[in-house]
Amino acid sequence: MKTIIFILLVLFSLEAFAQDIKEYQWKNRLLVLVSNASNSSEVNQQHKIFEQKEPQLLERDILLLKRQPESQDLAHFSLKTNFEGVLLIGKDGGIKLKKPFIVEPQVIFDLVDSMPMRKAEIRSKY
């Protein structure tokens, strides 16, 4: 069931991301795969790596998205048009990580888990 929800979230988020990124603010963290070629081998490899970590993404309220660097909704982040890599956008709407491909999921998870908001989320579950 969680797999279906995750797939629907990814599919919906690919369409919905064309809306304003602020709609996700305070609800989700966004893991954005940024590339000029949506079907490049690096994008596909990175996507597969993160898809395999679906439960960990869901646990941390992370949505996985694909965008181009010149995308209108990324414009306020002032990305260079040749940037290709991974962006982690926090629930506050700020960039928390900007790295070229390939990024290991544990790097993302460790960073998110070190954030005060995530620590509060963990404490509130127990």
Side-chain angles (χ1 to χ4, degrees), residues 1 28 85 94 101 117:
M1 182 64 172
N28 295 100
F101 296 121
M117 189 178 294

Side-chain angles (χ1 to χ4, degrees), residues 17-82:
F17 202 69
Q19 300 170 5
D20 197 292
I21 210 170
K22 293 192 186 288
E23 290 183 29
Y24 295 101
Q25 196 167 0
W26 306 117
K27 298 175 193 166
N28 295 100
R29 295 172 182 94
L30 303 176
L31 192 57
V32 187
L33 307 182
V34 182
S35 175
N36 284 311
S38 62
N39 62 355
S40 78
S41 62
E42 284 184 319
V43 171
N44 291 336
Q45 181 182 0
Q46 187 73 78
H47 193 263
K48 285 178 186 175
I49 290 170
F50 283 120
E51 274 185 332
Q52 294 171 355
K53 300 296 182 179
E54 172 197 331
Q56 293 92 331
L57 293 172
L58 289 172
E59 178 183 333
R60 292 167 178 85
D61 298 326
I62 298 174
L63 296 180
L64 182 60
L65 311 168
K66 292 181 186 178
R67 301 306 292 159
Q68 294 184 334
E70 67 275 358
S71 173
Q72 189 69 4
D73 40 359
L74 295 178
H76 69 281
F77 292 119
S78 302
L79 293 177
K80 293 184 179 182
T81 56
N82 65 345

